[in-house]
Short mmCIF file of all heavy atoms in Angstrom, two decimals:
data_model
loop_
_atom_site.label_atom_id
_atom_site.label_comp_id
_atom_site.label_asym_id
_atom_site.label_seq_id
_atom_site.Cartn_x
_atom_site.Cartn_y
_atom_site.Cartn_z
N GLY A 212 17.15 15.87 12.38
CA GLY A 212 17.33 15.48 11.05
C GLY A 212 17.61 13.97 10.88
O GLY A 212 17.07 13.14 11.52
N ILE A 213 18.59 13.79 10.01
CA ILE A 213 18.98 12.31 9.66
C ILE A 213 19.53 11.62 10.84
O ILE A 213 19.36 10.41 10.98
CB ILE A 213 19.93 12.38 8.50
CG1 ILE A 213 20.18 10.95 7.92
CG2 ILE A 213 21.26 12.95 8.91
CD1 ILE A 213 18.98 10.38 7.25
N PHE A 214 20.20 12.32 11.76
CA PHE A 214 20.76 11.74 12.97
C PHE A 214 19.62 11.24 13.94
O PHE A 214 19.76 10.26 14.60
CB PHE A 214 21.67 12.70 13.66
CG PHE A 214 22.84 13.04 12.86
CD1 PHE A 214 22.91 14.19 12.09
CD2 PHE A 214 23.98 12.22 12.82
CE1 PHE A 214 23.97 14.55 11.37
CE2 PHE A 214 25.10 12.52 12.08
CZ PHE A 214 25.11 13.65 11.24
N HIS A 215 18.48 11.96 13.97
CA HIS A 215 17.35 11.47 14.68
C HIS A 215 16.78 10.20 14.15
O HIS A 215 16.48 9.28 14.88
CB HIS A 215 16.28 12.63 14.70
CG HIS A 215 15.02 12.27 15.48
ND1 HIS A 215 15.08 11.91 16.80
CD2 HIS A 215 13.73 12.17 15.08
CE1 HIS A 215 13.80 11.59 17.17
NE2 HIS A 215 12.98 11.72 16.13
N LEU A 216 16.71 10.16 12.82
CA LEU A 216 16.23 8.86 12.20
C LEU A 216 17.16 7.76 12.50
O LEU A 216 16.71 6.60 12.70
CB LEU A 216 16.11 9.18 10.68
CG LEU A 216 15.54 7.98 9.83
CD1 LEU A 216 14.17 7.62 10.31
CD2 LEU A 216 15.58 8.35 8.34
N LYS A 217 18.48 7.99 12.47
CA LYS A 217 19.44 6.88 12.72
C LYS A 217 19.21 6.34 14.14
O LYS A 217 19.34 5.15 14.33
CB LYS A 217 20.81 7.40 12.54
CG LYS A 217 21.31 7.55 11.15
CD LYS A 217 22.67 8.07 11.07
CE LYS A 217 23.20 8.16 9.57
NZ LYS A 217 24.55 8.67 9.51
N ASN A 218 19.00 7.28 15.07
CA ASN A 218 18.75 6.80 16.43
C ASN A 218 17.48 5.95 16.60
O ASN A 218 17.46 5.01 17.33
CB ASN A 218 18.62 8.06 17.41
CG ASN A 218 19.97 8.56 17.77
OD1 ASN A 218 20.95 7.83 17.69
ND2 ASN A 218 19.95 9.85 18.13
N ILE A 219 16.42 6.31 15.86
CA ILE A 219 15.20 5.54 15.86
C ILE A 219 15.53 4.13 15.30
O ILE A 219 15.05 3.12 15.89
CB ILE A 219 14.11 6.23 15.04
CG1 ILE A 219 13.64 7.56 15.76
CG2 ILE A 219 12.94 5.32 14.80
CD1 ILE A 219 12.64 8.29 14.99
N LEU A 220 16.22 4.11 14.18
CA LEU A 220 16.50 2.84 13.59
C LEU A 220 17.40 1.93 14.49
O LEU A 220 17.25 0.73 14.60
CB LEU A 220 17.26 3.00 12.28
CG LEU A 220 16.41 3.62 11.12
CD1 LEU A 220 17.29 3.87 9.89
CD2 LEU A 220 15.25 2.71 10.76
N ARG A 221 18.28 2.63 15.27
CA ARG A 221 19.18 1.85 16.12
C ARG A 221 18.48 1.36 17.34
O ARG A 221 18.75 0.24 17.87
CB ARG A 221 20.37 2.73 16.59
CG ARG A 221 21.42 2.00 17.38
CD ARG A 221 22.68 2.84 17.59
NE ARG A 221 22.40 4.10 18.27
CZ ARG A 221 22.48 5.32 17.75
NH1 ARG A 221 22.82 5.47 16.46
NH2 ARG A 221 22.24 6.37 18.48
N THR A 222 17.48 2.13 17.89
CA THR A 222 16.84 1.76 19.18
C THR A 222 15.54 0.98 18.91
O THR A 222 15.11 0.19 19.83
CB THR A 222 16.57 2.96 19.97
OG1 THR A 222 15.73 3.89 19.23
CG2 THR A 222 17.86 3.67 20.44
N LYS A 223 14.94 1.07 17.80
CA LYS A 223 13.66 0.49 17.52
C LYS A 223 13.68 -0.52 16.37
O LYS A 223 12.72 -0.84 15.69
CB LYS A 223 12.62 1.57 17.10
CG LYS A 223 12.51 2.74 18.08
CD LYS A 223 11.96 2.30 19.46
CE LYS A 223 11.68 3.54 20.30
NZ LYS A 223 11.23 3.10 21.68
N TRP A 224 14.91 -1.08 16.16
CA TRP A 224 15.10 -1.99 15.05
C TRP A 224 14.25 -3.26 15.13
O TRP A 224 13.73 -3.75 14.11
CB TRP A 224 16.61 -2.36 14.82
CG TRP A 224 17.11 -3.14 15.92
CD1 TRP A 224 17.69 -2.62 17.06
CD2 TRP A 224 17.26 -4.54 16.06
NE1 TRP A 224 18.13 -3.66 17.88
CE2 TRP A 224 17.93 -4.91 17.23
CE3 TRP A 224 16.92 -5.57 15.16
CZ2 TRP A 224 18.18 -6.17 17.60
CZ3 TRP A 224 17.21 -6.89 15.52
CH2 TRP A 224 17.82 -7.19 16.74
N LEU A 225 14.01 -3.79 16.32
CA LEU A 225 13.23 -4.97 16.49
C LEU A 225 11.79 -4.72 16.09
O LEU A 225 11.16 -5.52 15.42
CB LEU A 225 13.30 -5.45 17.94
CG LEU A 225 14.51 -6.32 18.27
CD1 LEU A 225 14.52 -6.61 19.78
CD2 LEU A 225 14.54 -7.56 17.49
N ILE A 226 11.29 -3.51 16.45
CA ILE A 226 9.88 -3.18 16.04
C ILE A 226 9.75 -3.05 14.59
O ILE A 226 8.81 -3.50 13.92
CB ILE A 226 9.42 -1.92 16.81
CG1 ILE A 226 9.43 -2.10 18.33
CG2 ILE A 226 8.07 -1.46 16.35
CD1 ILE A 226 9.18 -0.86 19.12
N LEU A 227 10.76 -2.41 13.95
CA LEU A 227 10.74 -2.16 12.54
C LEU A 227 10.81 -3.47 11.80
O LEU A 227 10.07 -3.67 10.79
CB LEU A 227 11.84 -1.25 12.13
CG LEU A 227 11.78 0.20 12.63
CD1 LEU A 227 13.04 0.97 12.32
CD2 LEU A 227 10.57 0.91 12.06
N ILE A 228 11.68 -4.35 12.21
CA ILE A 228 11.81 -5.69 11.62
C ILE A 228 10.45 -6.43 11.78
O ILE A 228 10.02 -7.09 10.87
CB ILE A 228 12.92 -6.48 12.22
CG1 ILE A 228 14.27 -5.88 11.78
CG2 ILE A 228 12.90 -7.98 11.85
CD1 ILE A 228 15.48 -6.56 12.41
N GLY A 229 9.86 -6.26 12.94
CA GLY A 229 8.55 -6.99 13.18
C GLY A 229 7.47 -6.47 12.26
O GLY A 229 6.70 -7.32 11.71
N ILE A 230 7.47 -5.12 12.07
CA ILE A 230 6.51 -4.56 11.11
C ILE A 230 6.73 -5.09 9.67
O ILE A 230 5.82 -5.50 9.00
CB ILE A 230 6.54 -3.02 11.16
CG1 ILE A 230 6.03 -2.54 12.50
CG2 ILE A 230 5.69 -2.39 10.06
CD1 ILE A 230 6.26 -1.05 12.74
N CYS A 231 8.01 -5.10 9.21
CA CYS A 231 8.35 -5.59 7.95
C CYS A 231 7.98 -7.09 7.81
O CYS A 231 7.42 -7.49 6.76
CB CYS A 231 9.81 -5.36 7.59
SG CYS A 231 10.35 -3.70 7.56
N PHE A 232 8.25 -7.84 8.92
CA PHE A 232 7.92 -9.28 8.82
C PHE A 232 6.41 -9.48 8.73
O PHE A 232 5.94 -10.37 8.03
CB PHE A 232 8.46 -9.96 10.09
CG PHE A 232 8.18 -11.42 10.18
CD1 PHE A 232 8.88 -12.27 9.37
CD2 PHE A 232 7.22 -11.86 11.05
CE1 PHE A 232 8.60 -13.62 9.48
CE2 PHE A 232 6.92 -13.21 11.11
CZ PHE A 232 7.62 -14.17 10.35
N PHE A 233 5.63 -8.64 9.44
CA PHE A 233 4.19 -8.75 9.38
C PHE A 233 3.69 -8.50 7.98
O PHE A 233 2.86 -9.29 7.49
CB PHE A 233 3.61 -7.69 10.36
CG PHE A 233 2.14 -7.60 10.21
CD1 PHE A 233 1.23 -8.59 10.78
CD2 PHE A 233 1.52 -6.53 9.54
CE1 PHE A 233 -0.10 -8.48 10.62
CE2 PHE A 233 0.20 -6.40 9.44
CZ PHE A 233 -0.65 -7.32 9.95
N PHE A 234 4.20 -7.44 7.34
CA PHE A 234 3.69 -7.17 5.99
C PHE A 234 4.14 -8.29 4.99
O PHE A 234 3.43 -8.56 4.02
CB PHE A 234 4.26 -5.75 5.52
CG PHE A 234 3.47 -4.66 6.13
CD1 PHE A 234 4.00 -3.82 7.07
CD2 PHE A 234 2.08 -4.35 5.71
CE1 PHE A 234 3.29 -2.78 7.68
CE2 PHE A 234 1.41 -3.31 6.26
CZ PHE A 234 1.95 -2.55 7.21
N CYS A 235 5.39 -8.77 5.17
CA CYS A 235 5.82 -9.86 4.30
C CYS A 235 4.91 -11.09 4.43
O CYS A 235 4.56 -11.74 3.50
CB CYS A 235 7.29 -10.20 4.57
SG CYS A 235 8.45 -8.97 4.08
N CYS A 236 4.63 -11.45 5.73
CA CYS A 236 3.75 -12.59 6.01
C CYS A 236 2.35 -12.36 5.40
O CYS A 236 1.76 -13.26 4.80
CB CYS A 236 3.69 -12.84 7.50
SG CYS A 236 5.16 -13.58 8.15
N SER A 237 1.87 -11.11 5.57
CA SER A 237 0.51 -10.87 4.96
C SER A 237 0.52 -10.99 3.51
O SER A 237 -0.46 -11.48 2.90
CB SER A 237 0.14 -9.39 5.39
OG SER A 237 0.04 -9.28 6.76
N PHE A 238 1.66 -10.51 2.85
CA PHE A 238 1.72 -10.68 1.40
C PHE A 238 1.76 -12.15 1.02
O PHE A 238 1.08 -12.52 0.08
CB PHE A 238 2.93 -9.96 0.93
CG PHE A 238 3.15 -10.05 -0.56
CD1 PHE A 238 2.57 -9.22 -1.46
CD2 PHE A 238 4.08 -10.97 -1.05
CE1 PHE A 238 2.71 -9.36 -2.82
CE2 PHE A 238 4.28 -11.13 -2.45
CZ PHE A 238 3.62 -10.32 -3.26
N LEU A 239 2.61 -12.96 1.73
CA LEU A 239 2.68 -14.35 1.39
C LEU A 239 1.38 -15.11 1.64
O LEU A 239 0.96 -15.91 0.83
CB LEU A 239 3.79 -14.98 2.27
CG LEU A 239 5.24 -14.61 1.92
CD1 LEU A 239 6.12 -15.19 2.94
CD2 LEU A 239 5.62 -15.02 0.54
N LEU A 240 0.70 -14.73 2.75
CA LEU A 240 -0.53 -15.43 3.15
C LEU A 240 -1.59 -15.20 2.04
O LEU A 240 -2.47 -15.96 1.85
CB LEU A 240 -1.07 -14.99 4.43
CG LEU A 240 -0.21 -15.42 5.67
CD1 LEU A 240 -0.78 -14.83 6.92
CD2 LEU A 240 -0.31 -16.92 5.80
N SER A 241 -1.54 -13.99 1.36
CA SER A 241 -2.57 -13.69 0.36
C SER A 241 -2.15 -14.09 -1.02
O SER A 241 -3.01 -14.01 -1.96
CB SER A 241 -2.81 -12.20 0.40
OG SER A 241 -1.63 -11.46 0.08
N HIS A 242 -0.91 -14.61 -1.25
CA HIS A 242 -0.49 -14.95 -2.59
C HIS A 242 0.08 -16.37 -2.76
O HIS A 242 0.32 -16.72 -3.92
CB HIS A 242 0.59 -13.93 -3.08
CG HIS A 242 0.03 -12.55 -3.33
ND1 HIS A 242 -0.17 -11.65 -2.33
CD2 HIS A 242 -0.38 -11.94 -4.51
CE1 HIS A 242 -0.62 -10.49 -2.90
NE2 HIS A 242 -0.77 -10.64 -4.13
N ILE A 243 0.22 -17.05 -1.65
CA ILE A 243 0.93 -18.45 -1.75
C ILE A 243 -0.16 -19.52 -1.41
O ILE A 243 -0.93 -19.30 -0.59
CB ILE A 243 2.07 -18.49 -0.78
CG1 ILE A 243 3.15 -17.65 -1.22
CG2 ILE A 243 2.57 -19.94 -0.63
CD1 ILE A 243 4.46 -18.17 -1.66
N ILE A 244 -0.02 -20.62 -2.20
CA ILE A 244 -0.86 -21.75 -1.99
C ILE A 244 -0.05 -22.80 -1.14
O ILE A 244 1.00 -23.17 -1.56
CB ILE A 244 -1.38 -22.36 -3.28
CG1 ILE A 244 -2.33 -21.52 -3.96
CG2 ILE A 244 -1.97 -23.76 -3.04
CD1 ILE A 244 -3.59 -21.21 -3.19
N VAL A 245 -0.59 -23.27 -0.02
CA VAL A 245 0.13 -24.18 0.83
C VAL A 245 -0.53 -25.54 0.78
O VAL A 245 0.10 -26.54 1.33
CB VAL A 245 0.27 -23.71 2.32
CG1 VAL A 245 0.96 -22.36 2.35
CG2 VAL A 245 -1.15 -23.58 2.92
N ASP A 246 -1.70 -25.72 0.29
CA ASP A 246 -2.38 -27.04 0.24
C ASP A 246 -3.31 -27.09 -0.92
O ASP A 246 -3.93 -26.04 -1.34
CB ASP A 246 -3.10 -27.23 1.56
CG ASP A 246 -3.53 -28.67 1.77
OD1 ASP A 246 -2.96 -29.62 1.05
OD2 ASP A 246 -4.45 -28.98 2.63
N ILE A 247 -3.57 -28.32 -1.41
CA ILE A 247 -4.57 -28.54 -2.48
C ILE A 247 -5.32 -29.76 -2.02
O ILE A 247 -4.91 -30.84 -1.70
CB ILE A 247 -3.85 -28.93 -3.80
CG1 ILE A 247 -2.91 -27.75 -4.23
CG2 ILE A 247 -4.78 -29.27 -4.85
CD1 ILE A 247 -2.10 -28.06 -5.46
N ASP A 248 -6.65 -29.50 -1.96
CA ASP A 248 -7.60 -30.56 -1.46
C ASP A 248 -8.48 -31.00 -2.67
O ASP A 248 -9.38 -30.26 -3.11
CB ASP A 248 -8.47 -29.95 -0.30
CG ASP A 248 -9.36 -31.04 0.36
OD1 ASP A 248 -9.14 -32.20 0.04
OD2 ASP A 248 -10.17 -30.72 1.16
N VAL A 249 -8.19 -32.23 -3.12
CA VAL A 249 -8.91 -32.72 -4.20
C VAL A 249 -10.06 -33.64 -3.64
O VAL A 249 -9.72 -34.60 -2.97
CB VAL A 249 -8.06 -33.61 -5.19
CG1 VAL A 249 -8.86 -34.19 -6.29
CG2 VAL A 249 -6.94 -32.74 -5.72
N ILE A 250 -11.30 -33.37 -3.92
CA ILE A 250 -12.44 -34.01 -3.29
C ILE A 250 -13.08 -34.96 -4.28
O ILE A 250 -13.65 -34.51 -5.25
CB ILE A 250 -13.45 -32.95 -2.73
CG1 ILE A 250 -12.74 -32.02 -1.68
CG2 ILE A 250 -14.59 -33.62 -2.10
CD1 ILE A 250 -13.67 -30.85 -1.29
N HIS A 251 -12.98 -36.28 -3.94
CA HIS A 251 -13.71 -37.29 -4.72
C HIS A 251 -13.60 -38.60 -4.03
O HIS A 251 -12.52 -38.79 -3.29
CB HIS A 251 -13.21 -37.37 -6.14
CG HIS A 251 -14.17 -38.08 -7.07
ND1 HIS A 251 -14.16 -39.43 -7.24
CD2 HIS A 251 -15.16 -37.61 -7.88
CE1 HIS A 251 -15.07 -39.80 -8.11
NE2 HIS A 251 -15.71 -38.66 -8.48
N SER A 252 -14.56 -39.41 -4.09
CA SER A 252 -14.62 -40.70 -3.41
C SER A 252 -13.64 -41.72 -4.04
O SER A 252 -13.12 -42.60 -3.39
CB SER A 252 -16.04 -41.28 -3.29
OG SER A 252 -16.54 -41.51 -4.57
#
């Protein structure tokens, strides 16, 4: 039950944080502008 879930969170927290970080980065990469290139001589 819930105690099994707690053990998973305690032992696999780095993997879970990595997954969350991946999804956060994916969200940012698809919604944030990091550069503006104005083209003219």
Side-chain angles (χ1 to χ4, degrees):
I213 190 67
F214 295 96
H215 179 57
L216 181 60
K217 285 182 178 179
N218 279 336
I219 292 176
L220 292 175
R221 185 170 61 249
T222 57
K223 308 294 184 183
W224 64 274
L225 278 175
I226 296 175
L227 295 173
I228 289 176
I230 293 172
C231 293
F232 180 75
F233 171 77
F234 282 108
C235 289
C236 287
S237 299
F238 178 81
L239 290 174
L240 290 174
S241 61
H242 289 81
I243 292 243
I244 291 296
V245 300
D246 194 18
I247 300 172
D248 189 6
V249 180
I250 301 174
H251 197 272
S252 58

